[in-house]
């Protein structure tokens, strides 16, 4: 086994590789750009080497600097992860020429699958079914237009060097062909420096199926079954699962055999994925599944395969790169249960999936799922790289359970102020057609408006927000701002005030009038807990629900019209934390604003102060004690008895 590996990547995949390498006792070396100097993958690795400025082109894509870093660090091998240099045959060759071990397929295999047209021809020769179409050398417009007529519309024009969903155009009629070809080649030249295209039959009701394959240097190639990655947005995967819904044993056998044939045709070694497109208009049928392309690297969605097979694919990669045979034979591999992955992105689905960058002040990821991530709370999402926050992966006995668990996991994500697509994912995963396994690559586009509709806080959450704002304004002391004064007025000290209180809040900038009709304990009884709300010292905050984050502020300029509340003088803990000081004693006289108790939470101290002049009637607070949010710490009784009324 190799003893050390440099990971020529960043983010979640670098962290993922480090995890397995460490378990195997392999020393890890990270590389980083300026923007990533403090990134999690750098903090996690045994060693880290700076390879350039923030731009990926000048750092993670600079093969020479990466090889130099490997040499300088004494690493024996380079693992490229996915993206960046992972499918660059020239880089793989340079790594080997430098005397380093390349954790991946031979450069010749990468090259053979590098261009879509060449790969399709190779696969057709090897007896692998390919999507009907034209993938030859001739590129003049008239000739290609004739081929499109032969194939029959709709057709898909694909840049042979394309990737990541770029360089593709669907064309529905001959009249549109010339324009579509021109725009496709323009994009292909700009993005890939290669104008060549192929023409394919556009498959209706298409599903994206792919097969994980693995080869070693001893002539063995196995498959690790299929994944379904049909829910896509602009040809990019959003949800991936294994196995594929609706797959029968015979179709699976045919599909996986075709994938192994494809891998053997290019003498494939290490981890690879053979991608197919299926015409699922009448369910999955072996004669309606065609080769699309092969990805000669570890895939983003590899964890779903790991979950159902119990194989650590990165471990296999390191073993195979070290010259060991595959740890298991085909007969020793089987499917257990159902796995599903969601890609959590720093982007706002309600704003056209605009990437969202900045500091992850709040980032709480589900404990119920496998979380592959490259960031932690407090880290930055930088504008330089792919804005993925994490991959959330669940494994359950059945598909229905997996979908429900993943929906819950996405709904429990708390991410702010960076925007995330968690709520969009949760909705998608709760969709009845999705739950029924009725997915095609057009599934998201068909329901886009419903999925991307901006989330609104529920009535229950608004109640909790209003309640939290009132308590916070009264009890988080120290900063007597205008807001505090306003909120104190709002709460008021009148006895026998009307039981309902009207509170004005600003939620995501819009004013909401909330009739606060429930007490905190009634809210709790209905399952509305406060922990999903975080308020800062000034009364602003954020509330989380179903994967969405709502910015919360007191309505500053327009004081509430509704009745003020009676106060029982209870001073509640504003958040879960620890009592670090108790400044008063029972029976002591205190004046409004006087510090009573200090709670430490989220690494900050919060001084809780007296809401009005009075005496300390009850003092359950004990120094050093852990407290829950909303727990009563002190009760102040006004000397005239006002505070005792309720
Ligand atoms: P890329 O290399 O950019 O990922 P692919 O060839 O893998 O491109 O195709 C990406 C996606 O485009 C597929 O997952 C599928 O959704 C869609 N697609 C590709 N080929 C076809 C086709 N012939 N008919 C319909 N959809 C297709």
């Amino acid at each position: 086994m190799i003893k050390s590996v440099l990971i020529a990547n960043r983010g979640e995949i670098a962290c993922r590789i480090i995890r397995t390498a460490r378990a195997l006792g392999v020393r890890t070396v990270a590389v980083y750009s300026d923007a990533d100097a403090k990134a999690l993958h750098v903090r996690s690795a045994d060693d880290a080497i700076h390879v350039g400025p923030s731009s990926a082109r000048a750092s993670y894509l600079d093969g020479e600097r990466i090889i130099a870093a490997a040499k300088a660090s004494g690493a024996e091998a380079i693992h490229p992860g996915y993206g960046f240099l992972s499918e660059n045959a020239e880089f793989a060759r340079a790594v080997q020429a430098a005397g380093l071990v390349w954790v991946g397929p031979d450069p010749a295999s990468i090259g053979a699958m590098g261009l879509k047209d060449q790969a399709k021809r190779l696969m057709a020769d090897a007896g692998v079914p390919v999507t009907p179409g034209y993938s030859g050398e001739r590129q003049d417009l008239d000739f290609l237009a004739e081929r499109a007529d032969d194939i029959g519309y709709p057709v898909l024009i694909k840049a042979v060097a394309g990737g990541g969903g770029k360089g593709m155009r669907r064309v529905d009629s001959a009249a549109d062909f010339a324009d579509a070809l021109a725009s496709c080649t323009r994009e292909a030249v700009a993005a890939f420096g290669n104008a060549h295209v192929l023409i394919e039959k556009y498959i209706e009701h298409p599903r994206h199926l792919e097969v994980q394959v693995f080869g070693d240097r001893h002539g063995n190639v196995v498959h690790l079954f299929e994944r379904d990655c049909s829910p896509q947005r602009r040809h990019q995967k959003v949800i991936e699962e294994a196995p594929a819904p609706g797959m029968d044993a015979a179709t699976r056998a045919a599909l996986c055999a075709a994938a192994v044939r494809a891998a053997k045709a290019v003498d494939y070694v290490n981890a690879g994925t053979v991608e197919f497109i299926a015409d699922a208009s009448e369910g999955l049928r072996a004669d309606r599944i065609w080769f699309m392309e092969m990805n000669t690297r570890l895939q983003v969605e590899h964890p779903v395969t790991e979950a159902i097979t119990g194989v650590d694919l990165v471990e296999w990669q390191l073993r195979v790169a070290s010259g060991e045979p595959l740890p298991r034979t085909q007969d020793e591999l089987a499917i257990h249960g159902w796995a599903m992955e969601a890609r959590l992105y720093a982007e706002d689905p309600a704003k056209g999936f605009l990437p969202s960058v900045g500091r992850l002040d709040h980032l709480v990821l589900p404990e119920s799922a496998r979380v592959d991530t490259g960031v932690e709370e407090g880290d930055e999402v930088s504008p330089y790289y792919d804005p993925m926050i994490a991959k959330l992966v669940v494994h359950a006995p059945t598909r229905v359970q997996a979908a429900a668990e993943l929906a819950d996991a996405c709904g429990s994500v708390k991410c702010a102020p960076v925007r995330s697509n968690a709520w969009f994912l949760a909705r998608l995963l709760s969709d009845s057609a999705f739950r029924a396994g009725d997915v095609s690559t057009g599934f998201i586009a068909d329901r886009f408006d419903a999925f991307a509709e901006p989330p609104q806080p529920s009535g229950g959450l608004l109640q909790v927000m209003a309640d939290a704002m009132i308590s916070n304004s009264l009890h988080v002391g120290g900063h007597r701002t205008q807001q505090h004064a306003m909120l104190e007025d709002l709460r008021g000290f009148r006895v026998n005030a009307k039981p309902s209180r009207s509170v004005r809040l600003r939620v995501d900038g819009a004013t909401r009038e909330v009739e606060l009709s429930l007490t905190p304990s009634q809210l709790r009884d209905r399952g509305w807990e406060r922990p999903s709300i975080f308020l800062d010292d000034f009364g602003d905050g954020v509330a989380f629900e179903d994967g969405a984050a709502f910015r919360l502020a007191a309505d500053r300029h327009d004081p509430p019209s509704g009745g003020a509340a009676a106060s029982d003088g209870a001073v509640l803990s504003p958040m879960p934390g620890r009592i670090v000081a108790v400044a008063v004693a029972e029976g002591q006289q205190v004046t409004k604003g006087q510090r009573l108790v200090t709670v430490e939470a989220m690494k900050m101290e919060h001084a809780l102060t007296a809401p009005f002049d009075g005496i300390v009637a009850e003092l359950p607070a004990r120094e050093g004690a852990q407290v829950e949010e909303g727990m009563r710490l002190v009760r102040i009784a006004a000397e005239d008895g006002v505070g005792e009324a309720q």
Side-chain angles (χ1 to χ4, degrees), residues 116 131 156 158 162-166 168 200-204 206 208 229 232 235 237 275 277 292-293 441:
K116 291 181 202 284
T131 321
L156 194 63
K158 274 189 190 178
K166 283 213 194 75
M168 284 198 285
E200 260 177 22
K201 175 83 194 145
Y202 186 87
I203 308 299
E204 303 280 2
H208 176 114
C229 315
Q232 300 184 348
H235 303 301
K237 297 163 186 166
E275 295 193 330
I277 189 151
M292 242 181 344
E293 65 170 348
T441 60

PDB file of all heavy atoms in Angstrom, residues 116 131 156 158 162-166 168 200-204 206 208 229 232 235 237 275 277 292-293 441, ligand 1:
ATOM      1  N   LYS A 116     -16.607  12.618 -26.772  1.00  0.00           N
ATOM      2  CA  LYS A 116     -17.838  11.823 -26.841  1.00  0.00           C
ATOM      3  C   LYS A 116     -17.983  11.058 -28.151  1.00  0.00           C
ATOM      4  O   LYS A 116     -18.511   9.948 -28.168  1.00  0.00           O
ATOM      5  CB  LYS A 116     -19.056  12.736 -26.650  1.00  0.00           C
ATOM      6  CG  LYS A 116     -19.196  13.307 -25.240  1.00  0.00           C
ATOM      7  CD  LYS A 116     -20.460  14.178 -25.159  1.00  0.00           C
ATOM      8  CE  LYS A 116     -20.415  15.189 -24.037  1.00  0.00           C
ATOM      9  NZ  LYS A 116     -20.633  14.662 -22.708  1.00  0.00           N
ATOM     10  N   THR A 131     -26.533   5.544 -28.264  1.00  0.00           N
ATOM     11  CA  THR A 131     -27.700   6.315 -28.702  1.00  0.00           C
ATOM     12  C   THR A 131     -27.631   6.492 -30.212  1.00  0.00           C
ATOM     13  O   THR A 131     -26.588   6.891 -30.735  1.00  0.00           O
ATOM     14  CB  THR A 131     -27.684   7.711 -28.049  1.00  0.00           C
ATOM     15  OG1 THR A 131     -27.244   7.568 -26.711  1.00  0.00           O
ATOM     16  CG2 THR A 131     -29.057   8.338 -28.060  1.00  0.00           C
ATOM     17  N   LEU A 156     -30.489  15.971 -30.507  1.00  0.00           N
ATOM     18  CA  LEU A 156     -29.650  16.696 -29.553  1.00  0.00           C
ATOM     19  C   LEU A 156     -28.300  16.911 -30.224  1.00  0.00           C
ATOM     20  O   LEU A 156     -27.699  15.964 -30.736  1.00  0.00           O
ATOM     21  CB  LEU A 156     -29.486  15.855 -28.291  1.00  0.00           C
ATOM     22  CG  LEU A 156     -28.927  16.538 -27.057  1.00  0.00           C
ATOM     23  CD1 LEU A 156     -29.853  17.642 -26.570  1.00  0.00           C
ATOM     24  CD2 LEU A 156     -28.735  15.519 -25.925  1.00  0.00           C
ATOM     25  N   LYS A 158     -24.527  17.743 -29.534  1.00  0.00           N
ATOM     26  CA  LYS A 158     -23.638  17.699 -28.360  1.00  0.00           C
ATOM     27  C   LYS A 158     -22.211  18.020 -28.768  1.00  0.00           C
ATOM     28  O   LYS A 158     -21.683  17.418 -29.704  1.00  0.00           O
ATOM     29  CB  LYS A 158     -23.581  16.273 -27.795  1.00  0.00           C
ATOM     30  CG  LYS A 158     -24.652  15.908 -26.829  1.00  0.00           C
ATOM     31  CD  LYS A 158     -24.313  14.548 -26.212  1.00  0.00           C
ATOM     32  CE  LYS A 158     -25.466  14.013 -25.418  1.00  0.00           C
ATOM     33  NZ  LYS A 158     -25.179  12.688 -24.858  1.00  0.00           N
ATOM     34  N   GLY A 162     -17.728  18.344 -24.670  1.00  0.00           N
ATOM     35  CA  GLY A 162     -18.577  18.947 -23.633  1.00  0.00           C
ATOM     36  C   GLY A 162     -18.539  18.204 -22.312  1.00  0.00           C
ATOM     37  O   GLY A 162     -18.051  17.078 -22.210  1.00  0.00           O
ATOM     38  N   GLY A 163     -19.082  18.854 -21.323  1.00  0.00           N
ATOM     39  CA  GLY A 163     -19.162  18.253 -19.992  1.00  0.00           C
ATOM     40  C   GLY A 163     -19.954  19.165 -19.098  1.00  0.00           C
ATOM     41  O   GLY A 163     -20.162  20.344 -19.428  1.00  0.00           O
ATOM     42  N   GLY A 164     -20.413  18.599 -17.984  1.00  0.00           N
ATOM     43  CA  GLY A 164     -21.146  19.398 -17.010  1.00  0.00           C
ATOM     44  C   GLY A 164     -22.405  20.010 -17.594  1.00  0.00           C
ATOM     45  O   GLY A 164     -22.860  21.058 -17.165  1.00  0.00           O
ATOM     46  N   GLY A 165     -22.975  19.334 -18.596  1.00  0.00           N
ATOM     47  CA  GLY A 165     -24.225  19.810 -19.164  1.00  0.00           C
ATOM     48  C   GLY A 165     -24.061  20.965 -20.145  1.00  0.00           C
ATOM     49  O   GLY A 165     -25.031  21.435 -20.726  1.00  0.00           O
ATOM     50  N   LYS A 166     -22.826  21.424 -20.349  1.00  0.00           N
ATOM     51  CA  LYS A 166     -22.603  22.531 -21.299  1.00  0.00           C
ATOM     52  C   LYS A 166     -22.396  21.989 -22.707  1.00  0.00           C
ATOM     53  O   LYS A 166     -21.933  20.871 -22.900  1.00  0.00           O
ATOM     54  CB  LYS A 166     -21.345  23.314 -20.893  1.00  0.00           C
ATOM     55  CG  LYS A 166     -21.540  24.239 -19.731  1.00  0.00           C
ATOM     56  CD  LYS A 166     -20.653  25.494 -19.893  1.00  0.00           C
ATOM     57  CE  LYS A 166     -20.555  26.268 -18.610  1.00  0.00           C
ATOM     58  NZ  LYS A 166     -19.658  25.626 -17.622  1.00  0.00           N
ATOM     59  N   MET A 168     -24.751  21.604 -25.198  1.00  0.00           N
ATOM     60  CA  MET A 168     -25.808  20.724 -25.697  1.00  0.00           C
ATOM     61  C   MET A 168     -26.997  21.564 -26.132  1.00  0.00           C
ATOM     62  O   MET A 168     -27.358  22.529 -25.464  1.00  0.00           O
ATOM     63  CB  MET A 168     -26.261  19.760 -24.607  1.00  0.00           C
ATOM     64  CG  MET A 168     -25.290  18.627 -24.380  1.00  0.00           C
ATOM     65  SD  MET A 168     -26.061  17.272 -23.507  1.00  0.00           S
ATOM     66  CE  MET A 168     -26.117  17.954 -21.903  1.00  0.00           C
ATOM     67  N   GLU A 200     -27.464  13.395 -31.942  1.00  0.00           N
ATOM     68  CA  GLU A 200     -28.085  12.204 -31.366  1.00  0.00           C
ATOM     69  C   GLU A 200     -29.588  12.317 -31.422  1.00  0.00           C
ATOM     70  O   GLU A 200     -30.140  13.414 -31.382  1.00  0.00           O
ATOM     71  CB  GLU A 200     -27.723  12.106 -29.881  1.00  0.00           C
ATOM     72  CG  GLU A 200     -26.617  11.152 -29.579  1.00  0.00           C
ATOM     73  CD  GLU A 200     -26.255  11.140 -28.103  1.00  0.00           C
ATOM     74  OE1 GLU A 200     -27.077  11.530 -27.238  1.00  0.00           O
ATOM     75  OE2 GLU A 200     -25.134  10.739 -27.825  1.00  0.00           O
ATOM     76  N   LYS A 201     -30.232  11.196 -31.444  1.00  0.00           N
ATOM     77  CA  LYS A 201     -31.676  11.165 -31.253  1.00  0.00           C
ATOM     78  C   LYS A 201     -31.948  11.739 -29.863  1.00  0.00           C
ATOM     79  O   LYS A 201     -31.275  11.368 -28.888  1.00  0.00           O
ATOM     80  CB  LYS A 201     -32.144   9.711 -31.315  1.00  0.00           C
ATOM     81  CG  LYS A 201     -33.602   9.511 -31.027  1.00  0.00           C
ATOM     82  CD  LYS A 201     -34.420   9.756 -32.273  1.00  0.00           C
ATOM     83  CE  LYS A 201     -35.905   9.898 -31.939  1.00  0.00           C
ATOM     84  NZ  LYS A 201     -36.566  10.873 -32.825  1.00  0.00           N
ATOM     85  N   TYR A 202     -32.891  12.655 -29.760  1.00  0.00           N
ATOM     86  CA  TYR A 202     -33.270  13.133 -28.431  1.00  0.00           C
ATOM     87  C   TYR A 202     -34.238  12.122 -27.848  1.00  0.00           C
ATOM     88  O   TYR A 202     -35.306  11.862 -28.399  1.00  0.00           O
ATOM     89  CB  TYR A 202     -33.914  14.528 -28.478  1.00  0.00           C
ATOM     90  CG  TYR A 202     -34.150  15.037 -27.084  1.00  0.00           C
ATOM     91  CD1 TYR A 202     -33.147  15.720 -26.395  1.00  0.00           C
ATOM     92  CD2 TYR A 202     -35.340  14.770 -26.415  1.00  0.00           C
ATOM     93  CE1 TYR A 202     -33.336  16.137 -25.089  1.00  0.00           C
ATOM     94  CE2 TYR A 202     -35.534  15.179 -25.105  1.00  0.00           C
ATOM     95  CZ  TYR A 202     -34.530  15.863 -24.451  1.00  0.00           C
ATOM     96  OH  TYR A 202     -34.711  16.264 -23.155  1.00  0.00           O
ATOM     97  N   ILE A 203     -33.846  11.542 -26.747  1.00  0.00           N
ATOM     98  CA  ILE A 203     -34.644  10.488 -26.135  1.00  0.00           C
ATOM     99  C   ILE A 203     -35.776  11.110 -25.327  1.00  0.00           C
ATOM    100  O   ILE A 203     -35.540  11.970 -24.478  1.00  0.00           O
ATOM    101  CB  ILE A 203     -33.761   9.600 -25.225  1.00  0.00           C
ATOM    102  CG1 ILE A 203     -32.522   9.101 -25.981  1.00  0.00           C
ATOM    103  CG2 ILE A 203     -34.564   8.460 -24.637  1.00  0.00           C
ATOM    104  CD1 ILE A 203     -32.816   8.252 -27.194  1.00  0.00           C
ATOM    105  N   GLU A 204     -36.998  10.649 -25.593  1.00  0.00           N
ATOM    106  CA  GLU A 204     -38.153  11.172 -24.855  1.00  0.00           C
ATOM    107  C   GLU A 204     -38.302  10.384 -23.553  1.00  0.00           C
ATOM    108  O   GLU A 204     -37.938   9.212 -23.488  1.00  0.00           O
ATOM    109  CB  GLU A 204     -39.429  11.016 -25.683  1.00  0.00           C
ATOM    110  CG  GLU A 204     -39.365  11.681 -27.054  1.00  0.00           C
ATOM    111  CD  GLU A 204     -39.605  13.193 -27.010  1.00  0.00           C
ATOM    112  OE1 GLU A 204     -39.789  13.749 -25.915  1.00  0.00           O
ATOM    113  OE2 GLU A 204     -39.600  13.808 -28.093  1.00  0.00           O
ATOM    114  N   PRO A 206     -36.608  10.572 -20.896  1.00  0.00           N
ATOM    115  CA  PRO A 206     -35.298   9.964 -20.642  1.00  0.00           C
ATOM    116  C   PRO A 206     -34.991   9.800 -19.164  1.00  0.00           C
ATOM    117  O   PRO A 206     -35.371  10.631 -18.332  1.00  0.00           O
ATOM    118  CB  PRO A 206     -34.328  10.968 -21.268  1.00  0.00           C
ATOM    119  CG  PRO A 206     -35.035  12.279 -21.209  1.00  0.00           C
ATOM    120  CD  PRO A 206     -36.497  12.000 -21.257  1.00  0.00           C
ATOM    121  N   HIS A 208     -31.589   8.989 -16.643  1.00  0.00           N
ATOM    122  CA  HIS A 208     -30.136   8.884 -16.605  1.00  0.00           C
ATOM    123  C   HIS A 208     -29.767   7.725 -15.680  1.00  0.00           C
ATOM    124  O   HIS A 208     -30.007   7.774 -14.481  1.00  0.00           O
ATOM    125  CB  HIS A 208     -29.533  10.197 -16.094  1.00  0.00           C
ATOM    126  CG  HIS A 208     -28.041  10.157 -15.939  1.00  0.00           C
ATOM    127  ND1 HIS A 208     -27.186  10.917 -16.717  1.00  0.00           N
ATOM    128  CD2 HIS A 208     -27.243   9.436 -15.118  1.00  0.00           C
ATOM    129  CE1 HIS A 208     -25.935  10.650 -16.360  1.00  0.00           C
ATOM    130  NE2 HIS A 208     -25.941   9.764 -15.386  1.00  0.00           N
ATOM    131  N   CYS A 229     -29.723   8.931 -11.812  1.00  0.00           N
ATOM    132  CA  CYS A 229     -29.491  10.361 -11.549  1.00  0.00           C
ATOM    133  C   CYS A 229     -30.410  11.180 -12.431  1.00  0.00           C
ATOM    134  O   CYS A 229     -29.996  12.159 -13.058  1.00  0.00           O
ATOM    135  CB  CYS A 229     -28.046  10.742 -11.831  1.00  0.00           C
ATOM    136  SG  CYS A 229     -26.834   9.598 -11.183  1.00  0.00           S
ATOM    137  N   GLN A 232     -32.659  16.187 -12.676  1.00  0.00           N
ATOM    138  CA  GLN A 232     -31.586  17.101 -13.079  1.00  0.00           C
ATOM    139  C   GLN A 232     -32.156  18.489 -13.318  1.00  0.00           C
ATOM    140  O   GLN A 232     -33.334  18.646 -13.585  1.00  0.00           O
ATOM    141  CB  GLN A 232     -30.934  16.619 -14.386  1.00  0.00           C
ATOM    142  CG  GLN A 232     -30.317  15.236 -14.285  1.00  0.00           C
ATOM    143  CD  GLN A 232     -29.604  14.817 -15.563  1.00  0.00           C
ATOM    144  OE1 GLN A 232     -29.744  15.460 -16.610  1.00  0.00           O
ATOM    145  NE2 GLN A 232     -28.839  13.743 -15.476  1.00  0.00           N
ATOM    146  N   HIS A 235     -29.421  19.769 -17.068  1.00  0.00           N
ATOM    147  CA  HIS A 235     -28.512  18.635 -17.307  1.00  0.00           C
ATOM    148  C   HIS A 235     -27.522  18.419 -16.176  1.00  0.00           C
ATOM    149  O   HIS A 235     -26.510  17.749 -16.345  1.00  0.00           O
ATOM    150  CB  HIS A 235     -27.763  18.784 -18.634  1.00  0.00           C
ATOM    151  CG  HIS A 235     -28.676  18.924 -19.809  1.00  0.00           C
ATOM    152  ND1 HIS A 235     -29.610  17.969 -20.133  1.00  0.00           N
ATOM    153  CD2 HIS A 235     -28.824  19.915 -20.718  1.00  0.00           C
ATOM    154  CE1 HIS A 235     -30.287  18.371 -21.205  1.00  0.00           C
ATOM    155  NE2 HIS A 235     -29.840  19.557 -21.573  1.00  0.00           N
ATOM    156  N   LYS A 237     -26.988  17.017 -12.218  1.00  0.00           N
ATOM    157  CA  LYS A 237     -27.666  16.128 -11.276  1.00  0.00           C
ATOM    158  C   LYS A 237     -28.020  16.846  -9.975  1.00  0.00           C
ATOM    159  O   LYS A 237     -27.238  17.648  -9.466  1.00  0.00           O
ATOM    160  CB  LYS A 237     -26.749  14.941 -10.966  1.00  0.00           C
ATOM    161  CG  LYS A 237     -26.466  14.111 -12.210  1.00  0.00           C
ATOM    162  CD  LYS A 237     -25.269  13.196 -12.040  1.00  0.00           C
ATOM    163  CE  LYS A 237     -24.950  12.518 -13.369  1.00  0.00           C
ATOM    164  NZ  LYS A 237     -23.617  11.880 -13.362  1.00  0.00           N
ATOM    165  N   GLU A 275     -22.057   5.924 -18.240  1.00  0.00           N
ATOM    166  CA  GLU A 275     -23.365   6.591 -18.219  1.00  0.00           C
ATOM    167  C   GLU A 275     -24.216   6.169 -19.406  1.00  0.00           C
ATOM    168  O   GLU A 275     -23.733   6.094 -20.537  1.00  0.00           O
ATOM    169  CB  GLU A 275     -23.185   8.116 -18.243  1.00  0.00           C
ATOM    170  CG  GLU A 275     -22.507   8.658 -16.999  1.00  0.00           C
ATOM    171  CD  GLU A 275     -22.597  10.173 -16.876  1.00  0.00           C
ATOM    172  OE1 GLU A 275     -22.656  10.870 -17.908  1.00  0.00           O
ATOM    173  OE2 GLU A 275     -22.597  10.666 -15.730  1.00  0.00           O
ATOM    174  N   ILE A 277     -28.335   6.462 -21.234  1.00  0.00           N
ATOM    175  CA  ILE A 277     -29.629   7.126 -21.235  1.00  0.00           C
ATOM    176  C   ILE A 277     -30.673   6.078 -21.586  1.00  0.00           C
ATOM    177  O   ILE A 277     -30.445   5.238 -22.447  1.00  0.00           O
ATOM    178  CB  ILE A 277     -29.639   8.336 -22.190  1.00  0.00           C
ATOM    179  CG1 ILE A 277     -30.922   9.118 -21.994  1.00  0.00           C
ATOM    180  CG2 ILE A 277     -29.463   7.915 -23.643  1.00  0.00           C
ATOM    181  CD1 ILE A 277     -30.767  10.569 -22.282  1.00  0.00           C
ATOM    182  N   MET A 292     -23.966   6.663 -23.138  1.00  0.00           N
ATOM    183  CA  MET A 292     -23.793   8.099 -23.370  1.00  0.00           C
ATOM    184  C   MET A 292     -22.333   8.495 -23.306  1.00  0.00           C
ATOM    185  O   MET A 292     -21.785   9.080 -24.202  1.00  0.00           O
ATOM    186  CB  MET A 292     -24.566   8.881 -22.311  1.00  0.00           C
ATOM    187  CG  MET A 292     -25.637   9.728 -22.897  1.00  0.00           C
ATOM    188  SD  MET A 292     -26.594  10.709 -21.740  1.00  0.00           S
ATOM    189  CE  MET A 292     -26.315  10.080 -20.139  1.00  0.00           C
ATOM    190  N   GLU A 293     -21.699   8.174 -22.178  1.00  0.00           N
ATOM    191  CA  GLU A 293     -20.278   8.497 -22.046  1.00  0.00           C
ATOM    192  C   GLU A 293     -19.715   7.763 -20.837  1.00  0.00           C
ATOM    193  O   GLU A 293     -20.465   7.208 -20.029  1.00  0.00           O
ATOM    194  CB  GLU A 293     -20.070  10.001 -21.888  1.00  0.00           C
ATOM    195  CG  GLU A 293     -20.661  10.577 -20.619  1.00  0.00           C
ATOM    196  CD  GLU A 293     -20.226  12.019 -20.369  1.00  0.00           C
ATOM    197  OE1 GLU A 293     -19.299  12.493 -21.042  1.00  0.00           O
ATOM    198  OE2 GLU A 293     -20.801  12.645 -19.482  1.00  0.00           O
ATOM    199  N   THR A 441     -35.506  12.967 -16.686  1.00  0.00           N
ATOM    200  CA  THR A 441     -34.601  14.112 -16.562  1.00  0.00           C
ATOM    201  C   THR A 441     -35.370  15.429 -16.654  1.00  0.00           C
ATOM    202  O   THR A 441     -34.842  16.474 -16.312  1.00  0.00           O
ATOM    203  CB  THR A 441     -33.494  14.075 -17.637  1.00  0.00           C
ATOM    204  OG1 THR A 441     -34.126  14.111 -18.918  1.00  0.00           O
ATOM    205  CG2 THR A 441     -32.656  12.821 -17.523  1.00  0.00           C
TER     206      THR A 441
HETATM  207  P1  LIG B   1     -22.180  15.972 -19.915  1.00  0.00           P
HETATM  208  O1  LIG B   1     -20.894  15.380 -20.327  1.00  0.00           O
HETATM  209  O2  LIG B   1     -22.254  17.434 -20.158  1.00  0.00           O
HETATM  210  O3  LIG B   1     -22.611  15.565 -18.543  1.00  0.00           O
HETATM  211  P2  LIG B   1     -23.936  13.946 -21.032  1.00  0.00           P
HETATM  212  O4  LIG B   1     -23.700  13.382 -22.373  1.00  0.00           O
HETATM  213  O5  LIG B   1     -23.541  13.105 -19.867  1.00  0.00           O
HETATM  214  O6  LIG B   1     -23.264  15.387 -20.942  1.00  0.00           O
HETATM  215  O7  LIG B   1     -25.455  14.344 -20.886  1.00  0.00           O
HETATM  216  C1  LIG B   1     -25.917  15.044 -19.762  1.00  0.00           C
HETATM  217  C2  LIG B   1     -27.418  14.907 -19.640  1.00  0.00           C
HETATM  218  O8  LIG B   1     -28.069  15.352 -20.828  1.00  0.00           O
HETATM  219  C3  LIG B   1     -27.906  13.496 -19.455  1.00  0.00           C
HETATM  220  O9  LIG B   1     -27.860  13.092 -18.110  1.00  0.00           O
HETATM  221  C4  LIG B   1     -29.323  13.583 -19.971  1.00  0.00           C
HETATM  222  O10 LIG B   1     -30.148  14.150 -19.003  1.00  0.00           O
HETATM  223  C5  LIG B   1     -29.214  14.559 -21.103  1.00  0.00           C
HETATM  224  N1  LIG B   1     -29.035  13.858 -22.395  1.00  0.00           N
HETATM  225  C6  LIG B   1     -27.889  13.464 -22.941  1.00  0.00           C
HETATM  226  N2  LIG B   1     -28.088  12.831 -24.105  1.00  0.00           N
HETATM  227  C7  LIG B   1     -29.409  12.845 -24.319  1.00  0.00           C
HETATM  228  C8  LIG B   1     -30.265  12.359 -25.375  1.00  0.00           C
HETATM  229  N3  LIG B   1     -29.779  11.740 -26.448  1.00  0.00           N
HETATM  230  N4  LIG B   1     -31.591  12.529 -25.242  1.00  0.00           N
HETATM  231  C9  LIG B   1     -32.117  13.174 -24.170  1.00  0.00           C
HETATM  232  N5  LIG B   1     -31.371  13.659 -23.174  1.00  0.00           N
HETATM  233  C10 LIG B   1     -30.037  13.500 -23.236  1.00  0.00           C
END
